[in-house]
């Protein structure tokens, strides 16, 4: 089992800065925010929830995949702050959709 997941201070700051750029909790805003984050880093479900304030990460990943994003899920086990191990996904952007597809389709 992996140790408690840690996020570097630099990555945390970058994710929080992205969150400040994309205000709103509606699905189109969350999809755009998550796409921007994936262009910079691989990101876990914990990081998506904690730093991007997206509380249904798998749903937003599914939305991105529907839009043509090629996203790999790497399964890992991480310990929460409470010391409980959880199986979580770490998402890696492999390829973006073609530029002709609009980013903000209905969720």
């Amino acid at each position: 089992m992996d140790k408690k997941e840690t996020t570097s201070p630099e990555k945390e700051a970058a994710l929080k800065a992205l969150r400040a750029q994309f205000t709103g909790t509606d699905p189109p805003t969350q999809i755009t925010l998550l796409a921007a984050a994936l262009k910079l880093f691989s990101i876990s479900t914990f990081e998506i929830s904690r730093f991007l304030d997206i509380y249904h990460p798998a749903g937003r990943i599914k939305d991105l995949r529907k839009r043509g994003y090629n996203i790999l899920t790497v399964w890992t086990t991480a310990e929460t702050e409470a010391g409980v191990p959880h199986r979580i996904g770490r998402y890696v952007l492999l390829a973006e959709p073609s530029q002709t597809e609009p980013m903000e389709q209905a969720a």
Side-chain angles (χ1 to χ4, degrees):
M1 175 175 33
D2 297 338
K3 295 180 181 177
K4 191 179 296 184
E5 180 172 295
T6 58
T7 303
S8 73
E10 296 81 13
K11 183 176 183 180
E12 182 178 342
L15 293 174
K16 287 180 176 180
L18 279 175
R19 179 67 187 108
Q21 290 177 10
F22 298 94
T23 59
T25 58
D26 57 286
T29 301
Q30 291 183 352
I31 291 164
T32 303
L33 169 59
L34 185 52
L38 283 166
K39 290 175 189 178
L40 299 175
F41 308 103
S42 70
I43 187 167
S44 73
T45 55
F46 285 174
E47 292 169 325
I48 294 167
S49 295
R50 287 180 188 134
F51 305 124
L52 299 182
D53 203 31
I54 296 173
Y55 281 86
H56 187 39
R60 300 296 75 87
I61 292 293
K62 182 178 177 182
D63 293 335
L64 286 169
R65 286 178 172 146
K66 283 183 182 178
R67 286 160 175 74
Y69 285 80
N70 184 358
I71 300 169
L72 173 69
T73 302
V74 178
W75 292 105
T76 186
T77 302
E79 188 177 299
T80 65
E81 290 88 351
V84 179
H86 285 268
R87 183 173 180 248
I88 64 168
R90 173 164 294 282
Y91 302 102
V92 181
L93 179 63
L94 300 178
E96 295 180 50
S98 67
Q99 297 293 6
T100 58
E101 294 183 26
M103 177 64 180
E104 295 208 17
Q105 296 174 348

